[in-house]
Amino acid sequence: MTEQSMIPAAKPIIGDDERAAVDRVLRSGMVAQGPEVAAFEEEFGAQLVGGRTCVAVNSGTSGLHLGLLACGIGAGDEVIVPSFTFAATANAVALTGATPVFADISADTFNLDPASVRAAVTDRTAAVMPVHLYGHPADMDALRAVTAEAGVQLFEDAAQAHGATYHGTPVGGFGSFAMFSLYPTKNMTSGEGGMVSCADEEVARGVRLLRNQGMEKQYANEVIGLNNRMTDIHAAIGRVQLTKVAAWTQARQENAAWLDEHLGSVPGVLTPVVREGCTHVYHQYTIRLEGASAAERDAAVTALREEHRVGCGVYYPTPNHELVSLSRFAPAHELPETARAAAEVISLPVHPSLTQEDLERVGAAVAAVAGAGA
């Protein structure tokens, strides 16, 4: 009997259109930051963030770092962030010289809990930066209320949330700045890159200066800057992907709906919640094995991969404040929902390349593994 092929947990879609766009740029001879980048910025802003000014950079992490710097974040400041996310969120804060302060998450959406954020505010708090984790918007009304009450800025890590909306407003349209990642496994890619959505021209100009050695005009350096530019090659790929991301998002949502229907009744499995008024774009389809220990969850992941050939991931097994690199910023108080999520979560394939047979295999595998662990 032939062994089943592995269903990949994620699968970037790069086709002939993207290859033709790269070839066009290479033939033009204009491969550094040029007209493709400018066009990509304008098109991204128009399509995904309600016309806000966007600035392209070479990675999502660069986008966070430059956005924070452009908004004046630096030594002596505190920025409240979730611990249950990829380390880049807190890393970017630390790189400015500011202190990442970790708050807990809500049990249903895995996003920052506004009550925990409020409790973490001090007289050094300069901003709050939620992550729209897995593609579900954070509770922006409640977080805006907290930041308004505290008199601090609001930023957005929208790395995983291209096209998500909160009560009709696209994510990336709330904060002083927001960052979208364009890494290969995201809902759309430029090969590598990031996009910074800016609330006003002052922030946008700051990001433009910082990404390009502190200058907008050649040799007219105004501030100490970095080299975080996006190339025209990457922008050309991103422009093509931008024309396809809406259809890919619909496919992700349809795949998620199928998984909801077929996994919702499996004992011990909690499927993703979508809060009223929110559009989830399912960068990840993340279930919980309710009450599982990390060891039990890890055993389930091994069984899914090795016995059932279903690729899956754990995002994120170690909260940021427990990482060696960030442990010096560990909070004085416990983050119980963060700890519980880190032990229970499994992200299943939901990408647009899944076939109906793939979905059925995923559903049967989760049911079998969950049943075996009952």
Side-chain angles (χ1 to χ4, degrees):
M1 182 177 177
T2 304
E3 183 180 46
Q4 286 183 311
S5 60
M6 178 73 78
I7 298 172
K11 188 175 181 180
I13 303 174
I14 303 291
D16 290 342
D17 293 341
E18 287 84 352
R19 285 186 279 272
V22 170
D23 183 66
R24 182 187 74 245
V25 172
L26 292 175
R27 290 177 185 278
S28 76
M30 177 71 78
V31 297
Q33 181 175 291
E36 292 287 339
V37 171
F40 186 30
E41 291 171 335
E42 182 175 350
E43 291 160 5
F44 191 101
Q47 181 170 326
L48 291 182
V49 287
R52 292 222 312 185
T53 299
C54 288
V55 182
V57 292
N58 63 346
S59 75
T61 304
S62 293
L64 288 175
H65 186 207
L66 300 191
L68 289 161
L69 291 172
C71 290
I73 301 301
D77 293 330
E78 294 178 349
V79 178
I80 299 172
V81 296
S83 184
F84 189 65
T85 183
F86 186 54
T89 308
N91 284 348
V93 175
L95 285 168
T96 69
T99 298
V101 173
F102 296 111
D104 210 359
I105 58 171
S106 299
D108 56 352
T109 67
F110 304 106
N111 288 321
L112 266 181
D113 174 18
S116 183
V117 171
R118 181 175 280 107
V121 171
T122 72
D123 58 4
R124 294 177 59 194
T125 302
V128 176
M129 186 159 67
V131 178
H132 302 295
L133 200 68
Y134 303 143
H136 189 292
D139 188 346
M140 298 311 293
D141 282 344
L143 290 170
R144 284 195 294 184
V146 172
T147 55
E149 176 185 312
V152 302
Q153 296 187 80
L154 178 67
F155 309 140
E156 297 173 78
D157 183 336
Q160 304 178 357
H162 312 67
T165 63
Y166 178 85
H167 294 280
T169 299
V171 303
F174 293 92
S176 300
F177 84 88
M179 178 281 294
F180 294 85
S181 173
L182 297 166
Y183 185 74
T185 58
K186 294 301 189 287
N187 290 27
M188 62 169 286
T189 185
S190 59
E192 179 63 287
M195 190 69 76
V196 185
S197 164
C198 305
D200 55 49
E201 185 52 37
E202 182 179 358
V203 173
R205 186 170 188 272
V207 176
R208 290 192 199 102
L209 286 171
L210 289 163
R211 75 174 174 183
N212 190 34
Q213 304 289 6
M215 59 185 182
E216 283 197 290
K217 296 174 63 177
Q218 191 173 28
Y219 305 130
N221 304 71
E222 300 177 43
V223 299
I224 302 297
L226 299 157
N227 179 0
N228 289 161
R229 299 185 299 267
M230 177 179 281
T231 70
D232 266 28
I233 296 169
H234 290 92
I237 296 170
R239 292 182 69 194
V240 173
Q241 294 259 310
L242 193 57
T243 68
K244 302 177 181 181
V245 69
W248 290 339
T249 297
Q250 183 176 347
R252 286 176 179 274
Q253 292 166 335
E254 291 171 355
N255 290 342
W258 191 96
L259 291 168
D260 285 345
E261 181 181 354
H262 289 82
L263 298 180
S265 59
V266 175
V269 173
L270 299 180
T271 55
V273 168
V274 181
R275 286 191 177 179
E276 184 177 356
C278 293
T279 300
H280 198 324
V281 295
Y282 295 99
H283 170 60
Q284 301 290 348
Y285 183 91
T286 302
I287 62 171
R288 303 179 78 129
L289 298 186
E290 189 174 18
S293 66
E296 291 168 335
R297 185 272 317 284
D298 292 346
V301 168
T302 298
L304 286 169
R305 291 173 178 166
E306 297 183 2
E307 298 174 24
H308 298 276
R309 307 292 290 165
V310 170
C312 53
V314 176
Y315 310 105
Y316 299 87
T318 306
N320 282 191
H321 69 278
E322 295 179 6
L323 295 170
V324 172
S325 58
L326 293 166
S327 59
R328 69 185 184 277
F329 303 116
H333 52 285
E334 296 293 319
L335 305 179
E337 292 300 338
T338 294
R340 189 163 73 90
E344 294 180 353
V345 296
I346 302 176
S347 292
L348 303 173
V350 75
H351 54 82
S353 297
L354 294 175
T355 66
Q356 183 60 36
E357 180 184 356
D358 291 335
L359 287 169
E360 291 171 4
R361 278 181 56 194
V362 172
V366 172
V369 169

